Amino acid sequence: MPFARSAKHVLELLEYVSSGAESFQKSVQVISFSDDPFDHNTYLLEITPALAEQLVCPNDFTANIKSEGCKGGDSAAFLCNGATTQRLLEVETSNSLLLVPDLKIPESPLDKFWSVDEPRITERTIASIKSVYLELVPIRAPSLRKLKQLLLPSSFSSHIEEDYAKDGASDKFFTFEELGLSVPCSETELLYAMDRLNIFLWEGCCRLFQLDYISRCHCVLALQVIQAIFDMADEISLDWSQTGFADPQDMIVRLEGLYPPSVLHQIFQRFFYRKRCAQFKAIFPRNGKICRLIGENLLSITRKFAFSDFISVWCATVPHGMQPRLNRHLACAGRAYCDVSSLTQQRSITFLPSEDLPDHSVEARLAALFARQPLWPESQLAGYIADLVVDASDNELRFVYPNLISEKELLFLSDSEDEDEMALSDELEDPEKLALDDPLPVPAVLGALLNQHCRISISADAEHYRNISDLRHVPHHLGREISRAILLKNNRFTIFTLTSYITLFSEAYGADFLSTFRLTPSPFLTVWITGLLSSCSLTSLCLDGCQMGTQHSFVLPLLGSACPTLQFLSLRYNHLSNDAVRSLTANGRYYKSSNITTIDVSGNPFLSYRSIALLIALGSTQLIYLSDTGASISQFSLPNGWKCHRTLELATSRPPTLRGWLWEDYGVHNFSEDSYSTRFYESPLVILRTR
């Protein structure tokens, strides 16, 4: 039996306390243990000051504790309020925590409890002793993967098929309220997930509108309705891109003979928005969202599509006036990814929505992605993990609350997502070219997360560089390291491997990678000429003494037409003939496709004055060096706008300085100084354009 002290005894004991107890010893709290201090039905929850303020202040704040409803065993618990979801985790503490209700702690200034004239003793009871407490961890909810699996039995194909459905089939469907109780998340997050997965309300139940190909309807229902809306707009000559849809209710009345009003209302609410600045409250299509839906539908038919074919079909399928964007709408949004076949080297695009991937952790999702292909652009990975990260910048949840009471009132979001305003097409531009937009910038929180889990492997990139589709967002210093590793691993390039390598890096780094280059005679000269001409940044090429007029004459037509950026070409001492020059200039003369401004064919004695007309006919040439050729010792007349000089100083070309990673890391070591570097001619000649 516990010993009970009297009030007098307690006060006498306090007189022996060494600390200054004079100011509060008249009000004393005596703490005792309850009969069952280790109560397992009492839980201690740690909350943030902001949440504590919401709980204490009298307002409309409500929160529910939900579970996933797993069969067998314990399931995770979640605290869900109006807009966020937090998981409850049990955390052990090294100290025992005592839960003492109504215990008073002195604060400055002291409250009335401590201000008493006569000594007073108050008993406090320890309700529970805890060595663990519950911690709240913010999470992204709900799991799109689990929500999709939950609603797969309630897939909706068309309203026509629903009319023939068996009675009682709706028993397995969820109403919105039932779904809210079954799925551990906030109401806001649930509405966003329904919008993301195309979950609509049909006869009071939540139904999953699939993107599968429906043979009877030949189209996804949502797309049928959207297409019907734009067909009707064309029929009544409505310029929707400028004036919008002034009376959406009228469109619903016109189309209600084809589609149920409830579906039409929800399509308008999901795929249209109201501009704050628009007159008469007209609504406008959410261009980006519609383009994404159409792209997903096309990909869902075969799951994998030839890249160029898909871009063409996608641009042709969207309503006239809309502009799809590959990265913004699909590749960087966690909807599809691009890859290159290791066998055919053909680029393709594969449908892979993020909700079909594991979502119990970022590590599991990344593992599933890297199991598909070894290398990924950072922007595409960021799109696939964004729906797992709480603080991602694109996680502002946009949704329209379903109108569960009346179908007569249309509810619309004000203003559009950022992407919608950018998805209008430019009549003067090629839509297929505009569809190939730049990758989206990676939010800082996603970039930091990817840096923790992923690293750029220089050796892996060097091994699989032919599978890389884009390096434009890899920093220059890392790009150069990858380039060096490739050069070390490939002592002998083939035409295909060298072309792939130069095209990839030239598109990403331009003149920093390759600007000017020189080749000398070697067994792989043809391979290197072909590879260099595939560049989009090569401006100067020196091929002095490379036997271009004899052993490699078949390359001359390619040399004159393959590289549109080439401006300076040196072909000195190559045994060129007039026929060789004719072959070199054929494409440029007939198609006016050459951009070569300076060409040096000095030291080719078989060139007569007839070669001058061929070189001038290129149209782009400004300077032609012809020293020590048959033309330099001949008499000829030049067309108007041209003149010649025969002084050694003027008749000696000055090629640009060799530069670029490819030259500095490879060319300088493998293509030594040519033996024709001295510039002394017996018969100097240069002709130049004067106008």
Side-chain angles (χ1 to χ4, degrees):
M1 181 175 180
F3 174 73
R5 299 181 185 274
S6 65
K8 180 180 179 181
H9 192 190
V10 171
L11 294 174
E12 289 177 352
L13 289 175
L14 286 176
E15 293 179 359
Y16 294 95
V17 176
S18 59
S19 61
E22 295 82 3
S23 61
F24 62 86
Q25 66 179 4
K26 290 184 179 181
S27 185
V28 179
Q29 300 175 89
V30 177
I31 299 176
S32 60
F33 290 92
S34 65
D35 295 335
D36 184 15
F38 299 98
D39 181 13
H40 297 289
N41 294 323
T42 302
Y43 296 92
L44 183 62
L45 177 64
E46 181 186 45
I47 60 176
T48 62
L51 182 57
E53 185 177 351
Q54 289 179 309
L55 292 172
V56 173
C57 296
N59 53 24
D60 296 332
F61 175 79
T62 58
N64 298 308
I65 294 180
K66 301 180 182 180
S67 67
E68 292 182 326
C70 300
K71 295 182 180 179
D74 297 333
S75 60
F78 304 87
L79 179 68
C80 309
N81 59 18
T84 62
T85 301
Q86 301 176 81
R87 183 170 183 171
L88 297 170
L89 293 181
E90 198 172 58
V91 180
E92 293 187 0
T93 175
S94 58
N95 299 317
S96 294
L97 304 175
L98 306 181
L99 275 65
V100 186
D102 301 324
L103 181 67
K104 298 292 184 179
I105 304 297
E107 295 180 355
S108 181
L110 296 175
D111 58 18
K112 295 181 180 180
F113 176 82
W114 306 101
S115 303
V116 293
D117 296 331
E118 297 295 331
R120 180 182 63 184
I121 293 179
T122 306
E123 293 186 2
R124 306 296 186 204
T125 303
I126 298 175
S128 182
I129 301 175
K130 292 293 180 182
S131 59
V132 296
Y133 65 93
L134 298 177
E135 183 180 57
L136 294 176
V137 179
I139 63 169
R140 284 298 302 272
S143 164
L144 297 179
R145 179 185 178 90
K146 293 179 180 179
L147 181 59
K148 182 177 179 179
Q149 292 174 345
L150 179 67
L151 293 179
L152 277 178
S154 59
S155 298
F156 186 93
S157 55
S158 77
H159 61 282
I160 298 176
E161 293 186 11
E162 288 295 317
D163 293 339
Y164 294 96
K166 295 181 180 179
D167 295 337
S170 60
D171 294 341
K172 60 184 178 181
F173 301 154
F174 291 88
T175 65
F176 180 75
E177 291 77 10
E178 292 171 343
L179 192 63
L181 295 175
S182 302
V183 179
C185 67
S186 66
E187 185 179 65
T188 298
E189 292 168 320
L190 178 59
L191 290 169
Y192 171 77
M194 291 174 62
D195 185 69
R196 175 76 177 265
L197 296 178
N198 291 313
I199 299 171
F200 290 80
L201 293 176
W202 172 259
E203 296 183 350
C205 296
C206 297
R207 306 294 298 276
L208 181 65
F209 279 45
Q210 290 279 33
L211 283 177
D212 295 335
Y213 186 84
I214 302 172
S215 59
R216 177 181 298 181
C217 299
H218 301 288
C219 186
V220 175
L221 178 59
L223 290 178
Q224 291 184 60
V225 181
I226 291 173
Q227 186 61 51
I229 291 172
F230 285 98
D231 288 344
M232 182 62 67
D234 293 339
E235 186 176 326
I236 62 177
S237 302
L238 180 65
D239 187 7
W240 55 264
S241 62
Q242 299 298 323
T243 62
F245 292 79
D247 189 0
Q249 194 66 49
D250 176 65
M251 298 292 291
I252 292 176
V253 172
R254 291 173 180 267
L255 294 172
E256 63 182 1
L258 298 175
Y259 303 101
S262 61
V263 173
L264 291 168
H265 276 74
Q266 292 180 81
I267 292 295
F268 268 107
Q269 292 176 170
R270 295 277 185 96
F271 295 94
F272 292 79
Y273 72 100
R274 177 166 285 139
K275 287 184 178 180
R276 293 193 180 113
C277 59
Q279 296 181 351
F280 310 114
K281 296 184 178 180
I283 64 170
F284 292 80
R286 300 173 70 84
N287 302 316
K289 194 170 183 179
I290 293 173
C291 289
R292 179 183 295 119
L293 182 68
I294 293 174
E296 291 182 21
N297 177 49
L298 293 173
L299 289 172
S300 68
I301 297 172
T302 60
R303 310 298 293 187
K304 194 167 188 175
F305 221 118
F307 183 81
S308 57
D309 293 343
F310 170 74
I311 296 297
S312 300
V313 174
W314 191 21
C315 291
T317 306
V318 299
H320 180 70
M322 290 188 183
Q323 177 59 60
R325 309 277 184 179
L326 175 66
N327 285 299
R328 178 176 291 275
H329 298 154
L330 293 176
C332 296
R335 314 310 297 160
Y337 69 93
C338 303
D339 60 348
V340 179
S341 171
S342 58
L343 296 177
T344 63
Q345 299 303 316
Q346 297 296 316
R347 194 178 182 191
S348 61
I349 182 169
T350 302
F351 184 49
L352 182 65
S354 60
E355 59 267 18
D356 290 346
L357 293 168
D359 59 1
H360 53 276
S361 68
V362 172
E363 294 86 349
R365 176 158 295 185
L366 289 174
L369 290 171
F370 279 100
R372 289 178 170 266
Q373 59 181 24
L375 301 170
W376 284 82
E378 184 184 27
S379 57
Q380 290 189 26
L381 284 181
Y384 273 112
I385 67 170
D387 60 354
L388 302 180
V389 182
V390 176
D391 298 325
S393 62
D394 63 342
N395 286 342
E396 181 183 349
L397 305 183
R398 303 177 178 89
F399 62 91
V400 176
Y401 196 91
N403 194 343
L404 304 176
I405 301 176
S406 173
E407 294 181 350
K408 296 182 179 179
E409 182 182 1
L410 282 171
L411 305 176
F412 293 98
L413 289 177
S414 294
D415 284 351
S416 67
E417 300 177 18
D418 295 339
E419 62 179 273
D420 291 334
E421 297 291 351
M422 303 173 60
L424 292 174
S425 64
D426 188 341
E427 296 290 344
L428 301 179
E429 295 285 347
D430 181 6
E432 295 184 23
K433 183 178 180 181
L434 292 177
L436 304 178
D437 58 332
D438 292 332
L440 297 180
V442 178
V445 63
L446 297 180
L449 191 61
L450 289 174
N451 286 337
Q452 294 177 9
H453 296 283
C454 309
R455 291 289 184 270
I456 293 180
S457 173
I458 302 299
S459 59
D461 286 354
E463 190 73 27
H464 303 283
Y465 71 92
R466 292 187 299 278
N467 295 328
I468 303 175
S469 60
D470 189 6
L471 285 172
R472 282 178 291 179
H473 289 269
V474 175
H476 278 54
H477 67 283
L478 289 178
R480 185 163 188 176
E481 290 300 320
I482 297 172
S483 173
R484 286 172 175 167
I486 292 173
L487 294 172
L488 288 175
K489 286 181 174 290
N490 294 272
N491 294 326
R492 292 187 177 183
F493 284 99
T494 64
I495 289 180
F496 173 73
T497 57
L498 184 61
T499 300
S500 300
Y501 161 65
I502 290 179
T503 300
L504 177 66
F505 282 83
S506 180
E507 289 178 350
Y509 305 106
D512 289 338
F513 168 70
L514 175 60
S515 176
T516 57
F517 208 84
R518 181 184 69 232
L519 294 175
T520 54
S522 75
F524 305 102
L525 183 66
T526 302
V527 172
W528 272 94
I529 291 177
T530 307
L532 291 171
L533 294 178
S534 67
S535 165
C536 63
S537 60
L538 179 67
T539 59
S540 174
L541 181 60
C542 181
L543 298 172
D544 295 346
C546 289
Q547 306 293 326
M548 298 301 298
T550 53
Q551 297 181 18
H552 306 288
S553 59
F554 59 90
V555 184
L556 289 173
L558 182 67
L559 190 62
S561 61
C563 186
T565 59
L566 187 62
Q567 298 177 8
F568 179 92
L569 178 62
S570 181
L571 293 170
R572 300 185 309 136
Y573 305 105
N574 270 286
H575 304 289
L576 297 179
S577 63
N578 290 342
D579 288 338
V581 172
R582 182 176 288 106
S583 178
L584 172 70
T585 60
N587 192 283
R589 286 185 287 113
Y590 286 107
Y591 298 104
K592 305 299 180 183
S593 59
S594 173
N595 290 313
I596 298 175
T597 59
T598 303
I599 185 168
D600 190 347
V601 290
S602 301
N604 292 286
F606 300 113
L607 293 181
S608 70
Y609 68 92
R610 297 182 183 277
S611 64
I612 297 176
L614 298 172
L615 294 170
I616 289 176
L618 282 176
S620 60
T621 49
Q622 303 291 324
L623 284 169
I624 304 174
Y625 294 92
L626 292 151
S627 300
D628 287 357
T629 63
S632 66
I633 58 175
S634 304
Q635 297 296 323
F636 54 85
S637 59
L638 292 172
N640 293 333
W642 289 84
K643 67 177 182 179
C644 67
H645 291 283
R646 295 182 180 272
T647 61
L648 181 61
E649 181 180 1
L650 294 176
T652 303
S653 64
R654 296 172 178 79
T657 303
L658 297 169
R659 60 181 295 266
W661 305 344
L662 185 58
W663 173 256
E664 296 166 4
D665 297 336
Y666 188 87
V668 72
H669 305 294
N670 292 274
F671 301 107
S672 57
E673 183 70 22
D674 64 88
S675 58
Y676 305 100
S677 58
T678 56
R679 304 295 178 105
F680 178 78
Y681 302 114
E682 295 181 358
S683 302
L685 173 64
V686 60
I687 63 174
L688 64 155
R689 188 188 297 269
T690 59
R691 63 180 182 182

